Amino acid sequence: MDGRIKAAVIYYSATGVTYQMAQAACEAAGEAGAEVRLRKVRELAPEEAIRSNSGWHAHHLETQDVPEVQLDDLSWADVLIFGSPTRYGMVAAQLKQFIDSSGPLWAQGALADKVYTGFCSTATAHGGQEATLLSLYTVFYHWGGIVVTPGYTDPSQFVAGNPYGASHTSNNGETAPDDVALTATALTAKRAVQVAARLRQGTAG
């Protein structure tokens, strides 16, 4: 068995806010000792809709070289970190579409006993951050996953204030993630990798 924990950061981002959080998650997971894959989900919106929003179009071009997630990435990873903007208190349709394609792996039990966590952004304060994370975690419960959250395990969490996962208020995509949000994202990813490593050590022992 390879000694390094494998972590996949899987996200959807329209204008780049969630992408910046995904990058912070990747960096922290790597610093915690994991081999990391960054993967975006496939865009479902038509090209004309993307072009109608300058920020959306610019980010679409900026991340065109980021690989799209495949089901193999779910099989590969020991740790899966999902990120999404909020859509009515749930994850974006693009991420949900990918999740819905995981049925064959779920039926094989291939998604069980992995470590899962998440992060999100909303356009407004109280825009459904906790609801989005909880709805995402419901998927992981169905998969038989082990959900790891940041809780209040670090003093920074008393500033961030969301024990369910990292979150950020973007003001309709106008406000980039600040140090508070990025620190919470890094903590969330780091804890997921650390817990996965402890679980592996316990199995090996």
Side-chain angles (χ1 to χ4, degrees):
M1 179 183 291
D2 186 344
R4 294 185 70 189
I5 296 295
K6 298 179 176 66
V9 178
I10 299 167
Y11 77 96
Y12 173 72
S13 187
T15 58
V17 170
T18 315
Y19 172 64
Q20 292 176 59
M21 297 175 76
Q23 290 179 306
C26 286
E27 182 177 353
E31 290 175 352
E35 179 183 351
V36 183
R37 288 182 182 178
L38 176 64
R39 297 290 187 265
K40 66 184 179 184
V41 297
R42 184 170 61 88
E43 180 60 81
L44 302 179
E47 187 67 26
E48 57 268 26
I50 297 171
R51 290 183 178 277
S52 70
N53 181 310
S54 60
W56 195 356
H57 186 238
H59 180 66
H60 184 66
L61 295 176
E62 176 191 6
T63 57
Q64 58 186 336
D65 293 330
V66 176
E68 287 188 356
V69 65
Q70 306 295 324
L71 290 178
D72 176 67
D73 295 306
L74 298 182
S75 300
W76 171 84
D78 305 302
V79 174
L80 289 144
I81 304 168
F82 286 82
S84 176
T86 289
R87 298 290 185 265
Y88 300 120
M90 298 180 288
V91 298
Q94 288 86 346
L95 180 58
K96 183 61 164 60
Q97 191 277 334
F98 171 71
I99 288 172
D100 287 347
S101 73
S102 67
L105 289 180
W106 166 80
Q108 297 166 20
L111 301 177
D113 302 328
K114 296 175 182 286
V115 169
Y116 296 89
T117 194
F119 58 90
C120 69
S121 63
T122 55
T124 60
H126 310 295
Q129 295 174 355
E130 293 176 0
T132 297
L133 291 168
L134 291 172
S135 67
L136 178 62
Y137 296 165
T138 298
V139 174
F140 306 153
Y141 302 145
H142 280 260
W143 286 351
I146 300 162
V147 176
V148 174
T149 69
Y152 292 103
T153 59
D154 186 89
S156 64
Q157 279 297 100
F158 290 92
V159 179
N162 188 347
Y164 301 96
S167 59
H168 172 64
T169 302
S170 71
N171 297 311
N172 288 308
E174 296 298 322
T175 303
D178 58 11
D179 286 342
V180 172
L182 295 178
T183 297
T185 306
L187 176 65
T188 300
K190 178 182 175 182
R191 273 184 48 78
V193 172
Q194 290 174 335
V195 169
R198 289 200 294 270
L199 289 171
R200 175 176 291 183
Q201 290 169 358
T203 301

